[in-house]
């Protein structure tokens, strides 16, 4: 439309505009007034009217021409600007510089350089204009070449180059130039300090801030806020307090802009009480002040306080409403969030984006997609919110399709979208698309951003391209916390834990993400002792864990059976205000169940919000702990609440039925999968049913189910059937199943051991020897049975016939005493579980020294009378030890909890929770 309004101007092209007017010469005052009018009109985009004023002037001076050329360049009308430039006979250095700047501003660098080279004379402003053009368009090399050629420079010259390097993250060169400056302005300090903040090098940002304050430079409000950002990044409360005092001396604290930044600093440093107190004393508050306070209260789990503050807000602007909407969404209250959204008469794009993110982050992707499609005018953040939501929900392929659509739309791609797309490639293992996105980041000059660099590292690491991972890490200009943390995760994914630890140990500054990454690495590698030790070190130095850290540690506690530490972390969760995070509550109840503690049920009953993960976790927990009837009750409650079970839900309930011998319930749920929920049973569901039938001795039914299932049976299902054959001593069927497993080429020792046990139970010692020779020939080794018990924060390990424990003689003596007492009350050792060709007395002696028996006796010796004893074992408990534990629980009046390789056994008053379906 603007273009059409200026068609008449094109007549100037190729012709001269008369400089001399009529014979009557207007006064200088009239020229000045007209020039002022032209400048006003062009400033507000009314260029057509400015042209009319210009054409009506009888005489014009250089200011008239320069004002018009400047007006054209400002709005991209470069053809018209060039026409006026050509027509103007009295060009001066300013005229040339205006045209040069116009071409440079709109990315036409070749034309800008042509103008620059054609200038009859240049001043420092001309040089600065050309350099700024190069910098604004990402051509740092050409800008630096020109900078080095300058005959003279002013502060603006230095500031342009320094700002260019800072925006590109090349802080070493920016700092080198900065140190060479003889005179610095607020812009100089702002560029360098904000540059360091941008790459998260907060320590250097603070160092430069101190240099500035000591030099006598008085920062303006904007620069003061950047200095505050450096203090926030260092997570040093005393620095924030010091800057607050400084702001008072400078008279800034009363300014809402600075006050809100101080409020944000308190909030970011975790000083919630100080933030609340400061907010209440602020002389002036704006929409952002209310927004900040509502957001931080929500993030700290104080939703009720956030709601109360929202209700107090005198004017609820769009930003304040958006903050409250986001707070509700963070706590899973989507209906409340949507209610606020619907109350906003004219939601802006930020509000639309927040609602998209709210749905996406809560797994409601269809709602997020609908909201995304309704956004009147999307910006780059809209796309980023939707792409990020898809990635977080595990829909990496969909995320990459949407990213491709974003690229085709012509909308600029922000750093968040690039980062999410790279993580999508990492999750999908698609290095090819990842490399294309890598190329696109280079073309758009985004690759030097630390977050995108981290995404590249993660992508190449997860795609098992360690060479490119190392290369990306080595070329990153600043290897800060943000860049090292993905390397730790990537190396741990490669199981190169030692290298990951080196990266962690060499970090000059570690943030909570660094600690979380290394703790998670050790936890995932099964080295839970080290993971827990690192967590305690983290707490000892005063570093506050976040929800993800705690989740990893809870997982480690569950794997290690560290109930007491898990209970302490439970208390810590409440102290840190993290108890409102649903995923953390899910991890907490899972930890309790994995530790054999029925407090998992208590956590479940008290949870105000539940998702499908919650229901699945409690079903799995009940299955692990032999709570079959509880699992059935909860599954029925789940259905009554309108929550549709998924494949994992059915695995949990079928496993629970299996461990409790609930055959009828098991068949009912198995058949319900397809009939009621259109879920086709997988091989894992069939395995649960085979295990269920096998545990109750219905071996023929189990074998028939395997033979007639529509899927190809895997090794797990045959192993379940083999285990049942071993327990119920069906050697004929067991040998057939074992042979199938051996033909499948599986190198795990379990199959060989079970088959050897069957032969041994029949006295077929030659066959036993054949199996042992076969294992030796194939390089298969039997995993030794290990049991461990935690006494006073120390873990004690035992193996069969252990001689290494410091108190083994006392343990053996106590064990023999118990053995004699139990035999007197009816306990009969089941020597069928000693699979060696030896005398009966020797068999009983070997049974006596099984690892779990040693562990339980040590627990009796070193824990208070009547207190429960928890034992963990890496392999399945044998039948004799199972009987022995029932006698211990009855005669010694102890609750014994044993977690073996399959499940938990809760022994109390002579009974086991498994109902002897072990």
């Amino acid at each position: 439309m603007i273009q059409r309004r200026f068609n008449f101007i094109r007549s100037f092209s190729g012709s001269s505009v008369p400089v001399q007017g009529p014979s009557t010469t207007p006064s200088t005052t009239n020229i000045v007034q007209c020039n002022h009018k032209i400048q006003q009109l062009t400033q507000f985009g009314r260029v057509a009217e400015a042209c009319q004023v210009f054409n009506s002037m009888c005489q014009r001076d250089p200011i008239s021409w320069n004002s018009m050329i400047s007006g054209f360049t400002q709005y991209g009308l470069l053809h018209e600007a060039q026409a006026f430039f050509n027509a103007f006979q009295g060009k001066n250095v300013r005229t040339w510089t205006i045209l040069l700047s116009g071409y440079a501003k709109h990315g036409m660098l070749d034309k800008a350089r042509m103008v620059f080279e054609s200038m009859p004379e240049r001043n420092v402003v001309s040089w600065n204009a050309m350099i700024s053009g190069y910098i604004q368009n990402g051509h740092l090399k050409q800008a630096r070449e020109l900078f080095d050629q300058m005959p003279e420079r002013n502060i603006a010259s230095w500031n342009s180059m320094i700002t260019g390097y800072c925006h590109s993250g090349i802080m070493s060169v920016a700092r080198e130039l900065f140190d060479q400056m003889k005179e610095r302005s607020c812009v100089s300090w702002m560029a360098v300090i904000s540059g360091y903040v941008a790459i998260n090098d907060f320590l250097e940002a603070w160092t430069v801030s101190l240099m500035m304050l000591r030099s006598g430079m008085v920062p303006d409000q904007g620069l003061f806020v950047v200095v505050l950002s450096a203090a926030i990044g260092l997570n040093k409360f005393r620095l924030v307090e010091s800057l607050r005092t400084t702001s008072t001396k400078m008279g800034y604290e009363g300014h809402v802009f600075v006050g809100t930044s101080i409020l944000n600093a308190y909030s970011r440093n975790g000083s919630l009480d100080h933030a609340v107190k400061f907010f209440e004393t602020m002389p002036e508050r704006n929409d952002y002040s209310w927004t900040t306070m509502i957001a931080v209260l929500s993030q700290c789990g104080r939703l009720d306080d956030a709601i109360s503050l929202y209700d107090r807000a005198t004017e609820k602007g769009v930003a304040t409403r958006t903050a409250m909407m986001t707070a509700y969404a963070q706590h899973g209250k989507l209906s409340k969030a949507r209610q606020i959204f619907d109350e906003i008469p004219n939601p802006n794009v930020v509000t639309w984006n927040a609602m998209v993110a709210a749905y996406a982050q809560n797994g409601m992707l269809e709602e997020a997609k609908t909201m995304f499609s309704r956004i009147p005018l999307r910006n780059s953040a809209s796309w980023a919110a939707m792409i990020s939501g898809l990635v977080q929900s595990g829909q990496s392929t969909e995320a990459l399709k949407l990213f491709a659509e974003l690229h085709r739309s012509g909308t600029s791609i922000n750093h968040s979208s690039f980062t999410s797309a790279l993580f999508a490639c990492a999750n999908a293992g698609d290095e090819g698309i990842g490399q294309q996105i890598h190329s696109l980041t280079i073309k758009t000059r985004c690759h030097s951003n630390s977050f995108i660099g981290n995404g590249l590292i993660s992508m190449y690491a997860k795609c098992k391209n360690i060479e490119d991972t190392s290369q990306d890490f080595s070329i990153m200009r600043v290897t800060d916390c943000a860049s090292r943390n993905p390397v730790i995760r990537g190396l741990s994914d490669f199981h190169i834990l030692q290298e990951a630890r080196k990266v962690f140990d060499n970090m000059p500054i570690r943030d909570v993400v660094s600690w979380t990454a290394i703790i998670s690495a050790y936890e995932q590698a099964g080295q839970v002792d080290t993971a827990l030790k690192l967590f305690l070190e983290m707490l000892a130095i005063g570093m506050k864990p976040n929800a993800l850290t705690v989740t990893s540690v809870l997982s480690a506690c569950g794997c290690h059976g560290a109930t007491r530490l898990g209970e302490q972390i439970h208390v810590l969760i409440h102290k840190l205000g993290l108890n409102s995070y649903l995923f953390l509550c899910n991890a907490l109840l899972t930890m309790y169940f994995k530790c054999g503690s029925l407090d998992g049920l208590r956590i479940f009953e008290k949870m105000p919000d539940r998702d499908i993960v919650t229901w699945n976790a409690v079903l799995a927990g009940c299955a692990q702990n032999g709570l079959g009837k509880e699992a059935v009750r909860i599954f029925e409650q789940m259905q009554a609440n309108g929550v549709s079970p998924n494949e994992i839900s059915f695995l949990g309930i079928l496993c629970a039925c299996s461990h409790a011998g609930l055959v009828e319930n098991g068949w009912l749920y198995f058949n319900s999968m397809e009939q009621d929920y259109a879920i086709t049973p997988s091989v894992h569901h069939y395995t649960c049913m085979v295990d269920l039938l096998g545990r109750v001795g219905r071996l023929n039914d189990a074998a028939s189910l395997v033979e007639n299932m529509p899927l190809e049976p895997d090794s797990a299902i045959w192993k379940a059937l083999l285990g049942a054959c071993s327990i119920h001593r069906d050697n004929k069927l067991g040998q057939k199943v074992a042979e199938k497993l051996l033909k499948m080429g599986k190198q795990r020792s379990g199959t060989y051991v079970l088959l050897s046990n069957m032969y041994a139970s029949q006295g077929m010692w030659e066959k036993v020897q054949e199996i042992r020779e076969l294992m030796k020939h194939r390089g298969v080794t039997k995993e030794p049975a290990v049991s461990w018990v935690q006494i006073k924060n120390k873990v004690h390990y035992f193996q069969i016939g252990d001689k290494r424990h410091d108190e083994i003689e006392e343990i053996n003596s106590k064990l023999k005493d118990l053995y004699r007492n139990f035999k007197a009350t009816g306990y009969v050792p089941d020597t069928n579980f000693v699979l060696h060709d030896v005398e009966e007395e020797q068999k009983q002696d070997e049974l006596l020294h099984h690892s779990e028996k040693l562990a339980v006796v040590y627990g009796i010796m070193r824990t208070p009378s009547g207190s429960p004893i928890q034992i963990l074992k890496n392999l399945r408990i044998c039948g004799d030890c199972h009987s022995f534990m029932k006698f211990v629980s009855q005669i010694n009046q102890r609750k014994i909890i044993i977690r073996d390789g399959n499940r938990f056994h809760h022994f109390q008053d002579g009974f086991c929770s498994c109902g002897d379906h072990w």
Side-chain angles (χ1 to χ4, degrees):
M1 182 176 180
I2 292 175
Q3 196 67 37
R4 289 200 302 270
R5 292 171 62 188
F6 298 111
N7 284 336
F8 69 93
I9 302 174
R10 298 190 185 279
S11 60
F12 284 109
S13 182
S15 63
S16 63
V17 178
V19 177
Q20 302 297 324
S23 58
T24 304
T25 305
S27 68
T28 305
T29 303
N30 288 336
I31 295 178
V32 172
Q33 289 175 344
C34 288
N35 288 343
H36 181 67
K37 186 68 173 176
I38 290 172
Q39 290 168 354
Q40 280 187 320
L41 290 170
T42 55
Q43 182 180 355
F44 292 102
R46 297 159 65 180
V47 188
E49 295 175 50
C51 278
Q52 292 174 1
V53 174
F54 180 86
N55 288 334
S56 69
M57 294 174 69
C58 296
Q59 189 170 351
R60 302 129 184 159
D61 63 6
I63 295 176
S64 315
W65 289 92
N66 289 342
S67 296
M68 283 306 304
I69 295 170
S70 178
F72 287 130
T73 59
Q74 185 178 352
Y75 295 98
L77 300 169
L78 298 175
H79 181 82
E80 289 74 12
Q82 183 71 58
F84 265 66
F85 177 84
N86 294 339
F88 181 30
Q89 301 301 316
K91 303 180 188 70
N92 56 23
V93 68
R94 176 164 171 73
T95 314
W96 288 87
T97 304
I98 290 170
L99 186 64
L100 160 77
S101 299
Y103 281 126
K105 176 184 176 182
H106 294 281
M108 302 172 71
L109 293 178
D110 289 340
K111 288 195 174 183
R113 187 61 186 255
M114 189 181 299
V115 173
F116 179 76
E117 297 292 349
S118 302
M119 291 179 73
E121 62 173 319
R122 306 182 189 113
N123 60 15
V124 70
V125 179
S126 314
W127 286 84
N128 288 346
M130 192 65 238
I131 289 172
S132 295
Y134 278 130
I135 290 171
Q136 289 166 8
N137 289 277
H139 297 283
L140 273 176
K141 182 180 178 182
Q142 290 90 331
R144 183 57 187 269
E145 288 174 355
L146 214 57
F147 177 81
D148 291 337
Q149 295 171 18
M150 288 183 75
E152 62 172 320
R153 304 179 184 120
N154 59 11
I155 290 181
S157 315
W158 292 89
N159 287 345
S160 291
M161 281 310 309
I162 290 169
T163 302
Y165 283 121
C166 289
H167 284 173
S168 297
I170 312 174
M171 290 308 298
S172 58
V173 181
R175 183 59 180 275
E176 181 184 343
L177 290 176
F178 178 79
D179 290 339
Q180 293 175 23
M181 292 182 74
K182 295 179 181 179
E183 184 182 356
R184 303 179 181 117
S185 65
C186 271
V187 175
S188 318
W189 295 99
M190 171 75 87
V192 175
I193 297 171
S194 60
Y196 280 123
V197 168
I199 63 170
N200 298 327
D201 191 349
F202 301 110
L203 183 59
E204 199 59 36
W206 180 251
T207 302
V208 177
S209 300
L210 289 179
M211 286 171 55
M212 177 193 68
L213 295 172
R214 288 167 184 163
S215 72
M217 170 66 68
V218 178
D220 59 18
Q221 292 182 34
L223 181 51
F224 187 83
V225 170
V226 173
V227 174
L228 263 173
S229 300
I232 293 171
L234 286 174
N235 200 28
K236 300 291 185 182
F237 176 75
R238 60 180 180 81
L239 297 182
V240 177
E241 283 287 273
S242 174
L243 287 173
R244 180 182 172 183
T245 303
T246 304
S247 74
T248 303
K249 292 178 180 178
M250 293 178 175
Y252 288 164
E253 193 172 21
H255 294 265
V256 66
F257 180 58
V258 174
T260 303
S261 297
I262 293 173
L263 173 64
N264 187 43
Y266 280 134
S267 306
R268 291 279 299 276
N269 278 278
S271 308
L272 181 57
D273 292 337
H274 286 84
V276 172
K277 186 176 179 181
F278 181 78
F279 177 81
E280 297 298 345
T281 60
M282 288 178 69
E284 184 184 354
R285 303 177 187 129
N286 60 10
D287 208 18
Y288 185 66
S289 312
W290 291 95
T291 299
T292 300
M293 206 63 241
I294 290 169
V296 73
L297 286 168
S298 170
Q299 289 162 6
C300 292
R302 292 168 57 173
L303 180 61
D304 291 339
D305 291 335
I307 296 170
S308 176
L309 193 66
Y310 177 74
D311 292 338
R312 282 174 50 200
T314 50
E315 292 185 10
K316 295 180 175 65
V318 175
T320 307
R321 291 172 185 262
T322 303
M324 193 65 242
M325 187 182 78
T326 304
Y328 276 126
Q330 287 172 343
H331 293 266
K333 299 182 184 299
L334 272 298
S335 60
K336 292 281 188 182
R338 182 57 186 267
Q339 182 180 341
I340 292 179
F341 177 83
D342 291 337
E343 290 172 355
I344 301 174
N346 294 303
N348 59 25
V349 69
V350 176
T351 309
W352 282 97
N353 295 347
M355 203 63 226
V356 170
Y359 280 129
Q361 289 166 6
N362 283 274
M364 301 172 67
L365 289 181
E366 291 306 314
E367 291 83 352
K369 291 174 183 177
T370 301
M371 187 64 67
F372 177 76
S373 67
R374 289 179 52 201
I375 298 177
L377 185 63
R378 299 172 189 153
N379 63 8
S380 58
S382 313
W383 294 87
M386 194 65 235
I387 293 169
S388 174
L390 290 167
V391 174
Q392 291 174 17
S393 298
Q395 297 192 23
S396 297
T397 303
E398 289 297 317
L400 291 173
K401 286 180 181 177
L402 192 63
F403 180 82
E405 187 180 337
L406 162 62
H407 183 44
R408 288 193 299 269
S409 74
T411 305
S412 62
I413 304 173
N414 66 13
H415 294 161
S416 177
S417 293
F418 272 126
T419 305
S420 294
L422 288 168
F423 280 116
C425 292
N427 295 336
D430 196 329
E431 187 179 354
I433 294 180
Q435 288 174 335
Q436 292 177 35
I437 295 174
H438 188 174
S439 299
L440 187 58
T441 65
I442 295 171
K443 289 179 181 177
T444 55
R445 296 183 291 277
C446 293
H447 61 291
S448 58
N449 175 267
S450 62
F451 291 103
I452 292 175
N454 301 335
L456 288 167
I457 290 170
S458 295
M459 184 272 293
Y460 283 122
K462 287 194 176 182
C463 291
K464 304 191 182 302
N465 188 335
I466 194 66
E467 183 178 347
D468 283 345
T469 302
S470 301
Q471 183 178 356
D472 278 329
F473 179 66
S474 64
I475 65 174
M476 288 185 72
R477 296 184 178 99
V478 176
T479 51
D480 55 5
C481 288
S483 56
R484 291 174 187 259
N485 294 340
V487 177
I488 295 173
R489 291 192 293 269
L491 290 171
S492 64
D493 287 342
F494 280 138
H495 306 293
I496 311 176
L497 199 53
Q498 187 176 1
E499 293 298 321
R501 184 59 184 269
K502 283 181 182 178
V503 173
F504 176 79
D505 289 339
N506 290 330
M507 294 178 74
I509 299 176
R510 302 174 187 135
D511 59 9
V512 65
V513 181
S514 316
W515 285 94
T516 302
I518 195 67
I519 289 169
S520 177
Y522 277 105
E523 181 265 320
Q524 291 174 12
Q527 298 189 31
V528 292
D529 282 334
T530 307
L532 295 175
K533 182 180 177 183
L534 282 165
F535 178 69
L536 296 176
E537 287 180 16
M538 176 185 179
L539 295 179
I541 65 169
M543 177 69 69
K544 286 185 179 180
N546 62 20
L548 294 176
T549 321
V550 176
T551 302
S552 290
V553 177
L554 286 173
S555 179
C557 289
C559 293
H560 209 294
T563 312
R564 290 181 183 176
L565 180 57
E567 290 170 344
Q568 292 171 357
I569 293 171
H570 189 174
V571 174
L572 181 64
I573 289 170
H574 282 280
K575 287 183 178 179
L576 295 174
L578 300 175
N579 49 302
S580 62
Y581 288 94
L582 181 56
F583 72 90
L584 193 51
C585 292
N586 291 339
L588 190 62
L589 72 87
T590 300
M591 181 276 296
Y592 276 120
F593 278 129
K594 283 188 174 182
C595 288
S597 171
L598 303 187
D599 282 343
L601 276 177
R602 180 173 57 83
I603 298 293
F604 171 76
E605 298 296 346
K606 288 185 176 182
M607 287 176 66
D609 298 309
R610 298 165 181 160
D611 59 7
I612 189 65
V613 177
T614 314
W615 292 98
N616 290 347
V618 75
L619 288 171
C622 288
Q624 287 175 320
N625 288 273
L627 304 174
K629 292 181 180 179
E630 281 295 318
V632 170
R633 178 185 67 80
I634 289 169
F635 191 81
E636 299 296 336
Q637 180 185 350
M638 175 185 180
Q639 293 175 308
N641 286 1
V643 180
S644 296
N646 59 16
E647 294 89 341
I648 299 173
S649 312
F650 278 106
L651 277 178
I653 189 62
L654 290 176
C655 187
C657 292
S658 172
H659 287 172
L662 303 176
V663 179
E664 291 184 7
N665 294 89
W667 273 120
L668 176 68
Y669 294 131
F670 182 77
N671 292 328
S672 174
M673 290 179 66
E674 279 193 297
Q675 292 174 4
D676 300 327
Y677 295 99
I679 298 175
T680 303
S682 70
V683 69
H684 305 294
H685 298 102
Y686 278 98
T687 302
C688 286
M689 287 305 300
V690 169
D691 191 53
L692 169 57
L693 294 169
R695 284 177 189 272
V696 297
R698 292 170 57 173
L699 299 179
N700 290 333
D701 290 340
S704 176
L705 182 62
V706 177
E707 294 294 342
N708 295 308
M709 60 187 282
L711 303 169
E712 185 70 25
D714 62 2
S715 60
I717 201 167
W718 287 117
K719 191 173 180 181
L721 184 55
L722 179 60
C725 292
S726 176
I727 291 171
H728 296 286
R729 298 177 186 175
D730 188 333
N731 297 323
K732 184 177 180 181
L733 178 59
Q735 288 173 27
K736 291 181 180 178
V737 174
E739 287 169 3
K740 286 183 178 291
L741 276 166
L742 293 176
K743 286 179 180 178
M744 294 176 77
K746 300 300 178 182
Q747 298 301 308
R748 293 182 179 179
S749 62
T751 303
Y752 299 91
V753 172
L754 285 173
L755 184 57
S756 175
N757 292 351
M758 288 181 185
Y759 287 138
S761 66
Q762 299 175 76
M764 302 171 65
W765 303 111
E766 290 183 3
K767 287 288 187 181
V768 171
Q769 187 59 35
E770 284 180 15
I771 294 297
R772 290 176 180 169
E773 291 294 330
L774 183 60
M775 289 176 68
K776 185 177 179 181
H777 175 71
R778 293 184 176 179
V780 179
T781 56
K782 181 181 177 182
E783 183 181 0
V786 181
S787 298
W788 59 96
V789 60
Q790 184 175 341
I791 309 291
K792 294 181 180 179
N793 295 324
K794 184 178 179 181
V795 179
H796 298 262
Y797 295 89
F798 298 92
Q799 289 186 0
I800 185 170
D802 210 332
K803 306 290 184 185
R804 297 171 299 175
H805 198 278
D806 295 340
E807 302 174 72
I808 193 63
E809 291 184 6
E810 186 179 355
I811 294 169
N812 285 332
S813 176
K814 179 69 175 177
L815 182 55
K816 288 177 181 178
D817 290 341
L818 285 175
Y819 190 58
R820 284 192 292 268
N821 292 337
F822 292 171
K823 288 180 73 174
T825 57
Y827 165 65
V828 179
D830 189 347
T831 56
N832 285 311
F833 291 96
V834 179
L835 304 169
H836 299 290
D837 188 13
V838 294
E839 298 297 327
E840 187 70 15
E841 184 177 348
Q842 189 175 342
K843 287 184 177 183
Q844 290 191 22
D845 186 63
E846 183 171 328
L847 277 177
L848 181 63
H849 295 93
H850 276 193
S851 62
E852 53 265 63
K853 291 190 178 84
L854 296 173
V856 76
V857 168
Y858 188 70
I860 293 171
M861 291 167 48
R862 295 293 176 259
T863 58
S865 178
S867 63
I869 300 170
Q870 182 170 335
I871 298 166
L872 286 82
K873 185 181 179 183
N874 62 329
L875 301 180
R876 195 172 189 175
I877 186 174
C878 80
D880 180 67
C881 288
H882 195 267
S883 299
F884 185 85
M885 295 303 166
K886 290 196 288 187
F887 275 89
V888 172
S889 69
Q890 183 178 22
I891 296 172
N892 289 77
Q893 285 300 293
R894 295 284 196 122
K895 182 176 182 180
I896 311 296
I897 304 168
I898 295 183
R899 186 183 81 186
D900 67 7
N902 286 355
R903 56 174 300 170
F904 276 97
H905 298 265
H906 297 259
F907 299 94
Q908 193 165 13
D909 299 325
F911 295 94
C912 179
S913 61
C914 74
D916 293 339
H917 295 291
W918 57 275

